[in-house]
Amino acid sequence: NTVSDVEGVSNLATFSAPFATVIPTGVKAYYVSTADNTKATMKAVEGEAIPANEGVLLTSESAEAVTMVPATDETLTTITDNKLSNSAGAAKTIAEGDNAYILAKGADGTAFYKGKANTTLGMNKAYLTLDAASAGQAISMNFGGNVTGINQIVNAEQNNAPVYDLTGRRVVRTVKGGLYIKGGNKFIAR
């Protein structure tokens, strides 16, 4: 999938397979090491091959298609505590209460969005699973300190929050380039 809102990445996809797979040249593989209600921290897959039945996120700066081939004697990565589940070898139907998040481009940018019950995810894909049912509708991705996709989830209440200048006065209209505070967060008016 082509993306424009992920720094340093022009193509992004989830992947899993029922067998170990070689990471193609020009492609970087990541797994989710930790995830909370707002962001998923990505960790690079070290080694030459992705282990069988592990969900990963593949990134590339090239728009060229790559072929995923089975690993033979390549060095397999050890992946521990991966929060990405997989549909390796068979499609996955999301059940009620799965807390599954699917990689998609939505209103808040490229992120993991809450999957709807009875939606079918194709085989050999990966999806984020969270323990907490109270997570938001979208989970941003953090690649080593740089949050990509959405930076934060804005509640509808925050959209209507009053705007203040840096002296604490409430303002009705913002001026382009001005620094303001809304919902406890600083922003520059555009």
Side-chain angles (χ1 to χ4, degrees):
N1 300 319
T2 303
V3 294
S4 60
D5 58 346
V6 179
E7 185 179 325
V9 175
S10 58
N11 292 283
L12 189 66
T14 62
F15 176 77
S16 64
F19 47 84
T21 313
V22 175
I23 300 171
T25 303
V27 173
K28 292 181 184 174
Y30 295 88
Y31 68 97
V32 176
S33 59
T34 59
D36 61 23
N37 293 346
T38 59
K39 77 175 178 231
T41 302
M42 311 306 289
K43 186 169 183 179
V45 172
E46 305 295 333
E48 302 168 327
I50 302 162
N53 300 310
E54 286 289 349
V56 294
L57 188 73
L58 301 175
T59 66
S60 172
E61 292 186 38
S62 169
E64 293 181 28
V66 295
T67 302
M68 303 300 285
V69 296
T72 52
D73 57 356
E74 288 81 7
T75 305
L76 288 179
T77 300
T78 301
I79 297 177
T80 56
D81 297 326
N82 189 1
K83 304 296 183 204
L84 288 175
S85 295
N86 67 79
S87 62
K92 160 76 173 154
T93 301
I94 297 170
E96 194 69 43
D98 271 352
N99 296 325
Y101 287 77
I102 312 299
L103 181 67
K105 197 181 295 186
D108 292 320
T110 303
F112 287 99
Y113 288 88
K114 180 88 169 157
K116 293 181 173 70
N118 300 319
T119 300
T120 301
L121 182 65
M123 70 177 186
N124 299 335
K125 300 291 184 184
Y127 57 96
L128 179 64
T129 54
L130 295 177
D131 297 331
S134 63
Q137 287 299 309
I139 307 296
S140 66
M141 295 171 285
N142 181 343
F143 288 83
N146 297 327
V147 177
T148 57
I150 59 173
N151 289 324
Q152 65 182 7
I153 298 171
V154 179
N155 295 332
E157 297 164 357
Q158 280 187 315
N159 283 339
N160 297 326
V163 177
Y164 299 92
D165 64 14
L166 293 180
T167 61
R169 294 178 296 187
R170 187 172 178 170
V171 295
V172 178
R173 291 190 183 93
T174 59
V175 177
K176 184 177 180 179
L179 188 58
Y180 299 96
I181 300 171
K182 180 177 181 179
N185 297 311
K186 288 184 245 175
F187 72 96
I188 297 174
R190 296 179 189 232

mmCIF file with all atom_site columns, all heavy atoms in Angstrom, residues 149-165:
data_model
loop_
_atom_site.group_PDB
_atom_site.id
_atom_site.type_symbol
_atom_site.label_atom_id
_atom_site.label_alt_id
_atom_site.label_comp_id
_atom_site.label_asym_id
_atom_site.label_entity_id
_atom_site.label_seq_id
_atom_site.pdbx_PDB_ins_code
_atom_site.Cartn_x
_atom_site.Cartn_y
_atom_site.Cartn_z
_atom_site.occupancy
_atom_site.B_iso_or_equiv
_atom_site.pdbx_formal_charge
_atom_site.auth_seq_id
_atom_site.auth_comp_id
_atom_site.auth_asym_id
_atom_site.auth_atom_id
_atom_site.pdbx_PDB_model_num
ATOM 1   N N   . GLY A 1 149 ? 2.082   8.092  11.089 1.00 0.00 ? 149 GLY A N   1
ATOM 2   C CA  . GLY A 1 149 ? 0.639   7.960  10.974 1.00 0.00 ? 149 GLY A CA  1
ATOM 3   C C   . GLY A 1 149 ? 0.010   9.083  11.765 1.00 0.00 ? 149 GLY A C   1
ATOM 4   O O   . GLY A 1 149 ? 0.383   10.234 11.621 1.00 0.00 ? 149 GLY A O   1
ATOM 5   N N   . ILE A 1 150 ? -0.901  8.779  12.636 1.00 0.00 ? 150 ILE A N   1
ATOM 6   C CA  . ILE A 1 150 ? -1.511  9.807  13.455 1.00 0.00 ? 150 ILE A CA  1
ATOM 7   C C   . ILE A 1 150 ? -0.607  10.091 14.641 1.00 0.00 ? 150 ILE A C   1
ATOM 8   O O   . ILE A 1 150 ? 0.038   9.205  15.159 1.00 0.00 ? 150 ILE A O   1
ATOM 9   C CB  . ILE A 1 150 ? -2.916  9.392  13.935 1.00 0.00 ? 150 ILE A CB  1
ATOM 10  C CG1 . ILE A 1 150 ? -2.853  8.093  14.742 1.00 0.00 ? 150 ILE A CG1 1
ATOM 11  C CG2 . ILE A 1 150 ? -3.868  9.271  12.780 1.00 0.00 ? 150 ILE A CG2 1
ATOM 12  C CD1 . ILE A 1 150 ? -4.142  7.716  15.374 1.00 0.00 ? 150 ILE A CD1 1
ATOM 13  N N   . ASN A 1 151 ? -0.518  11.321 15.056 1.00 0.00 ? 151 ASN A N   1
ATOM 14  C CA  . ASN A 1 151 ? 0.298   11.670 16.209 1.00 0.00 ? 151 ASN A CA  1
ATOM 15  C C   . ASN A 1 151 ? -0.468  11.492 17.504 1.00 0.00 ? 151 ASN A C   1
ATOM 16  O O   . ASN A 1 151 ? 0.095   11.195 18.517 1.00 0.00 ? 151 ASN A O   1
ATOM 17  C CB  . ASN A 1 151 ? 0.799   13.111 16.102 1.00 0.00 ? 151 ASN A CB  1
ATOM 18  C CG  . ASN A 1 151 ? 1.847   13.232 15.035 1.00 0.00 ? 151 ASN A CG  1
ATOM 19  O OD1 . ASN A 1 151 ? 2.645   12.331 14.842 1.00 0.00 ? 151 ASN A OD1 1
ATOM 20  N ND2 . ASN A 1 151 ? 1.834   14.336 14.324 1.00 0.00 ? 151 ASN A ND2 1
ATOM 21  N N   . GLN A 1 152 ? -1.755  11.711 17.454 1.00 0.00 ? 152 GLN A N   1
ATOM 22  C CA  . GLN A 1 152 ? -2.577  11.511 18.636 1.00 0.00 ? 152 GLN A CA  1
ATOM 23  C C   . GLN A 1 152 ? -4.016  11.373 18.192 1.00 0.00 ? 152 GLN A C   1
ATOM 24  O O   . GLN A 1 152 ? -4.380  11.773 17.104 1.00 0.00 ? 152 GLN A O   1
ATOM 25  C CB  . GLN A 1 152 ? -2.439  12.673 19.609 1.00 0.00 ? 152 GLN A CB  1
ATOM 26  C CG  . GLN A 1 152 ? -2.956  13.983 19.058 1.00 0.00 ? 152 GLN A CG  1
ATOM 27  C CD  . GLN A 1 152 ? -2.755  15.102 20.054 1.00 0.00 ? 152 GLN A CD  1
ATOM 28  O OE1 . GLN A 1 152 ? -2.139  14.939 21.072 1.00 0.00 ? 152 GLN A OE1 1
ATOM 29  N NE2 . GLN A 1 152 ? -3.282  16.255 19.731 1.00 0.00 ? 152 GLN A NE2 1
ATOM 30  N N   . ILE A 1 153 ? -4.813  10.796 19.048 1.00 0.00 ? 153 ILE A N   1
ATOM 31  C CA  . ILE A 1 153 ? -6.224  10.664 18.751 1.00 0.00 ? 153 ILE A CA  1
ATOM 32  C C   . ILE A 1 153 ? -6.933  11.828 19.411 1.00 0.00 ? 153 ILE A C   1
ATOM 33  O O   . ILE A 1 153 ? -6.790  12.056 20.606 1.00 0.00 ? 153 ILE A O   1
ATOM 34  C CB  . ILE A 1 153 ? -6.760  9.323  19.265 1.00 0.00 ? 153 ILE A CB  1
ATOM 35  C CG1 . ILE A 1 153 ? -6.022  8.197  18.529 1.00 0.00 ? 153 ILE A CG1 1
ATOM 36  C CG2 . ILE A 1 153 ? -8.254  9.215  19.082 1.00 0.00 ? 153 ILE A CG2 1
ATOM 37  C CD1 . ILE A 1 153 ? -6.282  6.845  19.060 1.00 0.00 ? 153 ILE A CD1 1
ATOM 38  N N   . VAL A 1 154 ? -7.662  12.576 18.627 1.00 0.00 ? 154 VAL A N   1
ATOM 39  C CA  . VAL A 1 154 ? -8.351  13.753 19.145 1.00 0.00 ? 154 VAL A CA  1
ATOM 40  C C   . VAL A 1 154 ? -9.793  13.371 19.418 1.00 0.00 ? 154 VAL A C   1
ATOM 41  O O   . VAL A 1 154 ? -10.501 12.911 18.530 1.00 0.00 ? 154 VAL A O   1
ATOM 42  C CB  . VAL A 1 154 ? -8.287  14.913 18.122 1.00 0.00 ? 154 VAL A CB  1
ATOM 43  C CG1 . VAL A 1 154 ? -9.033  16.119 18.651 1.00 0.00 ? 154 VAL A CG1 1
ATOM 44  C CG2 . VAL A 1 154 ? -6.846  15.260 17.822 1.00 0.00 ? 154 VAL A CG2 1
ATOM 45  N N   . ASN A 1 155 ? -10.209 13.547 20.648 1.00 0.00 ? 155 ASN A N   1
ATOM 46  C CA  . ASN A 1 155 ? -11.598 13.280 21.003 1.00 0.00 ? 155 ASN A CA  1
ATOM 47  C C   . ASN A 1 155 ? -12.484 14.353 20.411 1.00 0.00 ? 155 ASN A C   1
ATOM 48  O O   . ASN A 1 155 ? -12.059 15.484 20.199 1.00 0.00 ? 155 ASN A O   1
ATOM 49  C CB  . ASN A 1 155 ? -11.772 13.276 22.523 1.00 0.00 ? 155 ASN A CB  1
ATOM 50  C CG  . ASN A 1 155 ? -11.005 12.151 23.167 1.00 0.00 ? 155 ASN A CG  1
ATOM 51  O OD1 . ASN A 1 155 ? -10.786 11.121 22.551 1.00 0.00 ? 155 ASN A OD1 1
ATOM 52  N ND2 . ASN A 1 155 ? -10.576 12.364 24.402 1.00 0.00 ? 155 ASN A ND2 1
ATOM 53  N N   . ALA A 1 156 ? -13.727 14.029 20.179 1.00 0.00 ? 156 ALA A N   1
ATOM 54  C CA  . ALA A 1 156 ? -14.667 15.017 19.650 1.00 0.00 ? 156 ALA A CA  1
ATOM 55  C C   . ALA A 1 156 ? -14.758 16.211 20.596 1.00 0.00 ? 156 ALA A C   1
ATOM 56  O O   . ALA A 1 156 ? -14.916 17.336 20.160 1.00 0.00 ? 156 ALA A O   1
ATOM 57  C CB  . ALA A 1 156 ? -16.039 14.382 19.456 1.00 0.00 ? 156 ALA A CB  1
ATOM 58  N N   . GLU A 1 157 ? -14.632 15.948 21.913 1.00 0.00 ? 157 GLU A N   1
ATOM 59  C CA  . GLU A 1 157 ? -14.679 17.037 22.885 1.00 0.00 ? 157 GLU A CA  1
ATOM 60  C C   . GLU A 1 157 ? -13.500 17.992 22.681 1.00 0.00 ? 157 GLU A C   1
ATOM 61  O O   . GLU A 1 157 ? -13.627 19.186 22.856 1.00 0.00 ? 157 GLU A O   1
ATOM 62  C CB  . GLU A 1 157 ? -14.641 16.469 24.304 1.00 0.00 ? 157 GLU A CB  1
ATOM 63  C CG  . GLU A 1 157 ? -15.831 15.596 24.620 1.00 0.00 ? 157 GLU A CG  1
ATOM 64  C CD  . GLU A 1 157 ? -15.592 14.741 25.865 1.00 0.00 ? 157 GLU A CD  1
ATOM 65  O OE1 . GLU A 1 157 ? -14.495 14.790 26.452 1.00 0.00 ? 157 GLU A OE1 1
ATOM 66  O OE2 . GLU A 1 157 ? -16.517 14.019 26.226 1.00 0.00 ? 157 GLU A OE2 1
ATOM 67  N N   . GLN A 1 158 ? -12.329 17.468 22.304 1.00 0.00 ? 158 GLN A N   1
ATOM 68  C CA  . GLN A 1 158 ? -11.163 18.315 22.081 1.00 0.00 ? 158 GLN A CA  1
ATOM 69  C C   . GLN A 1 158 ? -11.330 19.163 20.828 1.00 0.00 ? 158 GLN A C   1
ATOM 70  O O   . GLN A 1 158 ? -10.777 20.244 20.753 1.00 0.00 ? 158 GLN A O   1
ATOM 71  C CB  . GLN A 1 158 ? -9.895  17.481 21.959 1.00 0.00 ? 158 GLN A CB  1
ATOM 72  C CG  . GLN A 1 158 ? -9.334  17.053 23.294 1.00 0.00 ? 158 GLN A CG  1
ATOM 73  C CD  . GLN A 1 158 ? -7.998  16.379 23.124 1.00 0.00 ? 158 GLN A CD  1
ATOM 74  O OE1 . GLN A 1 158 ? -7.832  15.547 22.253 1.00 0.00 ? 158 GLN A OE1 1
ATOM 75  N NE2 . GLN A 1 158 ? -7.053  16.753 23.967 1.00 0.00 ? 158 GLN A NE2 1
ATOM 76  N N   . ASN A 1 159 ? -12.062 18.676 19.833 1.00 0.00 ? 159 ASN A N   1
ATOM 77  C CA  . ASN A 1 159 ? -12.282 19.468 18.627 1.00 0.00 ? 159 ASN A CA  1
ATOM 78  C C   . ASN A 1 159 ? -13.008 20.762 18.957 1.00 0.00 ? 159 ASN A C   1
ATOM 79  O O   . ASN A 1 159 ? -12.815 21.777 18.302 1.00 0.00 ? 159 ASN A O   1
ATOM 80  C CB  . ASN A 1 159 ? -13.099 18.679 17.599 1.00 0.00 ? 159 ASN A CB  1
ATOM 81  C CG  . ASN A 1 159 ? -12.250 17.644 16.898 1.00 0.00 ? 159 ASN A CG  1
ATOM 82  O OD1 . ASN A 1 159 ? -11.040 17.745 16.862 1.00 0.00 ? 159 ASN A OD1 1
ATOM 83  N ND2 . ASN A 1 159 ? -12.916 16.632 16.355 1.00 0.00 ? 159 ASN A ND2 1
ATOM 84  N N   . ASN A 1 160 ? -13.873 20.733 19.959 1.00 0.00 ? 160 ASN A N   1
ATOM 85  C CA  . ASN A 1 160 ? -14.636 21.908 20.341 1.00 0.00 ? 160 ASN A CA  1
ATOM 86  C C   . ASN A 1 160 ? -14.043 22.620 21.551 1.00 0.00 ? 160 ASN A C   1
ATOM 87  O O   . ASN A 1 160 ? -14.668 23.516 22.102 1.00 0.00 ? 160 ASN A O   1
ATOM 88  C CB  . ASN A 1 160 ? -16.090 21.510 20.633 1.00 0.00 ? 160 ASN A CB  1
ATOM 89  C CG  . ASN A 1 160 ? -16.768 20.956 19.403 1.00 0.00 ? 160 ASN A CG  1
ATOM 90  O OD1 . ASN A 1 160 ? -16.491 21.397 18.294 1.00 0.00 ? 160 ASN A OD1 1
ATOM 91  N ND2 . ASN A 1 160 ? -17.628 19.980 19.586 1.00 0.00 ? 160 ASN A ND2 1
ATOM 92  N N   . ALA A 1 161 ? -12.845 22.222 21.975 1.00 0.00 ? 161 ALA A N   1
ATOM 93  C CA  . ALA A 1 161 ? -12.218 22.836 23.144 1.00 0.00 ? 161 ALA A CA  1
ATOM 94  C C   . ALA A 1 161 ? -11.847 24.284 22.834 1.00 0.00 ? 161 ALA A C   1
ATOM 95  O O   . ALA A 1 161 ? -11.529 24.625 21.706 1.00 0.00 ? 161 ALA A O   1
ATOM 96  C CB  . ALA A 1 161 ? -10.970 22.052 23.542 1.00 0.00 ? 161 ALA A CB  1
ATOM 97  N N   . PRO A 1 162 ? -11.888 25.149 23.847 1.00 0.00 ? 162 PRO A N   1
ATOM 98  C CA  . PRO A 1 162 ? -11.502 26.547 23.621 1.00 0.00 ? 162 PRO A CA  1
ATOM 99  C C   . PRO A 1 162 ? -10.011 26.662 23.312 1.00 0.00 ? 162 PRO A C   1
ATOM 100 O O   . PRO A 1 162 ? -9.209  25.838 23.735 1.00 0.00 ? 162 PRO A O   1
ATOM 101 C CB  . PRO A 1 162 ? -11.858 27.236 24.937 1.00 0.00 ? 162 PRO A CB  1
ATOM 102 C CG  . PRO A 1 162 ? -11.925 26.145 25.945 1.00 0.00 ? 162 PRO A CG  1
ATOM 103 C CD  . PRO A 1 162 ? -12.311 24.903 25.212 1.00 0.00 ? 162 PRO A CD  1
ATOM 104 N N   . VAL A 1 163 ? -9.651  27.705 22.578 1.00 0.00 ? 163 VAL A N   1
ATOM 105 C CA  . VAL A 1 163 ? -8.268  27.960 22.190 1.00 0.00 ? 163 VAL A CA  1
ATOM 106 C C   . VAL A 1 163 ? -7.755  29.144 23.004 1.00 0.00 ? 163 VAL A C   1
ATOM 107 O O   . VAL A 1 163 ? -8.456  30.145 23.177 1.00 0.00 ? 163 VAL A O   1
ATOM 108 C CB  . VAL A 1 163 ? -8.170  28.264 20.678 1.00 0.00 ? 163 VAL A CB  1
ATOM 109 C CG1 . VAL A 1 163 ? -6.750  28.611 20.278 1.00 0.00 ? 163 VAL A CG1 1
ATOM 110 C CG2 . VAL A 1 163 ? -8.690  27.087 19.871 1.00 0.00 ? 163 VAL A CG2 1
ATOM 111 N N   . TYR A 1 164 ? -6.520  29.024 23.516 1.00 0.00 ? 164 TYR A N   1
ATOM 112 C CA  . TYR A 1 164 ? -5.905  30.068 24.319 1.00 0.00 ? 164 TYR A CA  1
ATOM 113 C C   . TYR A 1 164 ? -4.565  30.474 23.704 1.00 0.00 ? 164 TYR A C   1
ATOM 114 O O   . TYR A 1 164 ? -3.893  29.649 23.084 1.00 0.00 ? 164 TYR A O   1
ATOM 115 C CB  . TYR A 1 164 ? -5.663  29.578 25.751 1.00 0.00 ? 164 TYR A CB  1
ATOM 116 C CG  . TYR A 1 164 ? -6.930  29.198 26.467 1.00 0.00 ? 164 TYR A CG  1
ATOM 117 C CD1 . TYR A 1 164 ? -7.396  27.892 26.439 1.00 0.00 ? 164 TYR A CD1 1
ATOM 118 C CD2 . TYR A 1 164 ? -7.666  30.149 27.162 1.00 0.00 ? 164 TYR A CD2 1
ATOM 119 C CE1 . TYR A 1 164 ? -8.569  27.534 27.086 1.00 0.00 ? 164 TYR A CE1 1
ATOM 120 C CE2 . TYR A 1 164 ? -8.843  29.799 27.824 1.00 0.00 ? 164 TYR A CE2 1
ATOM 121 C CZ  . TYR A 1 164 ? -9.282  28.497 27.772 1.00 0.00 ? 164 TYR A CZ  1
ATOM 122 O OH  . TYR A 1 164 ? -10.443 28.152 28.413 1.00 0.00 ? 164 TYR A OH  1
ATOM 123 N N   . ASP A 1 165 ? -4.168  31.737 23.904 1.00 0.00 ? 165 ASP A N   1
ATOM 124 C CA  . ASP A 1 165 ? -2.830  32.146 23.489 1.00 0.00 ? 165 ASP A CA  1
ATOM 125 C C   . ASP A 1 165 ? -1.867  31.808 24.621 1.00 0.00 ? 165 ASP A C   1
ATOM 126 O O   . ASP A 1 165 ? -2.269  31.273 25.654 1.00 0.00 ? 165 ASP A O   1
ATOM 127 C CB  . ASP A 1 165 ? -2.775  33.616 23.081 1.00 0.00 ? 165 ASP A CB  1
ATOM 128 C CG  . ASP A 1 165 ? -3.071  34.582 24.217 1.00 0.00 ? 165 ASP A CG  1
ATOM 129 O OD1 . ASP A 1 165 ? -3.068  34.170 25.391 1.00 0.00 ? 165 ASP A OD1 1
ATOM 130 O OD2 . ASP A 1 165 ? -3.311  35.766 23.919 1.00 0.00 ? 165 ASP A OD2 1
#
